Amino acid sequence: MENRKTAPVGVFDSGVGGLTVAREISRQLPNENIVYFGDTARVPYGSKSQNTIIRFSEQIIRFLKTKDVKAIVIACNTASALALDAVRDEFDIPVMGVVIPGARAAVEATKNRKVGVVGTDATVQSGMYTKIIHGMAPDVEVIEKACPLFVPLVEEGFKEHVVTREVIEYYLESMRNTDIDAMILGCTHYPLLRSKIREYMGDRIQIVNPAYETAMDLKKLLREMDMENDGETVQHSRYSFYVSDAAEKFRKFANTVMPFDVPTTNVVNIEEF
Amino acid sequence: MENRKTAPVGVFDSGVGGLTVAREISRQLPNENIVYFGDTARVPYGSKSQNTIIRFSEQIIRFLKTKDVKAIVIACNTASALALDAVRDEFDIPVMGVVIPGARAAVEATKNRKVGVVGTDATVQSGMYTKIIHGMAPDVEVIEKACPLFVPLVEEGFKEHVVTREVIEYYLESMRNTDIDAMILGCTHYPLLRSKIREYMGDRIQIVNPAYETAMDLKKLLREMDMENDGETVQHSRYSFYVSDAAEKFRKFANTVMPFDVPTTNVVNIEEF
């Protein structure tokens, strides 16, 4: 498997949100090459059915495999919740999601066994975080809350606008009035609102960012499989970005998230895969 | 063409927004049957490229033709702006959009020859309203403004929330400071915010709702082509609703927009058409 070490990691999301996961991977595994795919032609996944999300995920994994990736990270909570089991059985390379790492971190963090989860409609309606947390720790009470406006607010660059504070209050007031002591940011866009959410929820509640936990898990997985890039053979173009539509808009947003310059984004007709 | 009179009118949109157009058609042409398609698996169109939107529109028109429609209304500003010319040439039944009726109404309404247009990113970036207005009246000055948060706010049921007033101010303050005297609601969701927008913009500015103008144009077209339903052969199921995903969510929203009960919504795999 020596030649697999320099192969890239595939990371995909319904759009730009998964960039927060790619960012964590680039921080914690600085030697790894990344091929990122954002399904900008079909974003958002949050309101789509499980069958549709499995079909879209299969197409994307087939595309990423053409880039010779050694492992795949589903950097999208909705797809992790709804498609991970199906695609894991189907493909011959390791596939990870963000839900399990996030759930485990919350179970480890909570002292009083009460955890909150915020995410898209589909993630919350699937109840996947609750199921996975209960599989790990049946005694933990889970309170889930959908916050559908967070994604458009982030994408519109409203991070610092007064409206964002009010929308946070609208969605999270009931959550703050519970006695949870850990809360999972169950959508990859939400880490971009992390400081505002933390400010509103207060220091009592530990905010769990699954992007961070996922990068840690990826590191462990690559090490166990002896696929970690040792850094000696870093290629010139270490990060490449593909989308299904609107490349320039994606590129601009990517440059506000990633800690390095994203010079180009390529368009792929994903329905062909 | 006698048998065409009772055939339904096909109406389509990227999602639920076009229901405001279907509502106007049901008000102004109460004898007409309607087949509505909402592309909820691929919503929103506002951030997608022209080629993608033409391809999606072609698939939907092929589907609507299987329902034997006599005419088609593209009840989506983005698709009207980007796909109407292409699909008009391609299909053998009349196809109308919402942009031309809206533009014409604004040209007729403005006294001081200054018109505002609000819409999605794609509609505003296409500059289609400006081009079409200038084709009708080269002396009219057009000021366009994208308001991307209006759609998610409407879909989240925030019509009456204080945040909506603040977002309206955020987007429309610069528009209000101009001396336009007519403003086109260039996205089919926006009529659902009409009273709030009117309240903010003031009585000086006439708000043009292309849904209303489009229904008027459809009436005229059907009359001219002798395809108007005379009302004697109204079928039992006069309105039918199809979507590409998430039928129940669509049905619930449709029941908040339409002036009658929407009992069922059917799912279609639109990529097969």
Side-chain angles (χ1 to χ4, degrees), chain A residues 50-63:
Chain A
Q50 181 163 23
N51 283 344
T52 298
I53 289 167
I54 290 172
R55 188 160 47 85
F56 288 179
S57 300
E58 289 166 342
Q59 289 173 334
I60 295 165
I61 294 173
R62 285 194 286 269
F63 161 70

Side-chain angles (χ1 to χ4, degrees), chain B residues 61 83-97 100:
Chain B
I61 293 173
L84 180 62
D85 285 347
V87 299
R88 242 187 191 157
D89 293 342
E90 196 178 335
F91 294 95
D92 58 0
I93 54 170
V95 183
M96 306 176 40
I100 291 169

Side-chain angles (χ1 to χ4, degrees), chain B residues 32-108:
Chain B
E32 296 300 334
N33 305 306
I34 296 176
V35 179
Y36 184 95
F37 179 83
D39 198 359
T40 48
R42 304 186 294 196
V43 70
Y45 283 7
S47 53
K48 294 178 175 63
S49 67
Q50 180 163 24
N51 282 345
T52 298
I53 288 166
I54 290 173
R55 188 160 48 84
F56 289 179
S57 300
E58 289 166 343
Q59 289 173 334
I60 295 166
I61 293 173
R62 285 194 286 268
F63 162 71
L64 288 171
K65 287 193 66 166
T66 69
K67 301 293 167 193
D68 199 31
V69 294
K70 62 186 171 188
I72 283 174
V73 178
I74 306 182
C76 167
N77 282 269
T78 304
S80 296
L82 301 182
L84 180 62
D85 285 347
V87 299
R88 242 187 191 157
D89 293 342
E90 196 178 335
F91 294 95
D92 58 0
I93 54 170
V95 183
M96 306 176 40
V98 290
V99 173
I100 291 169
R104 201 184 46 240
V107 168
E108 286 166 8

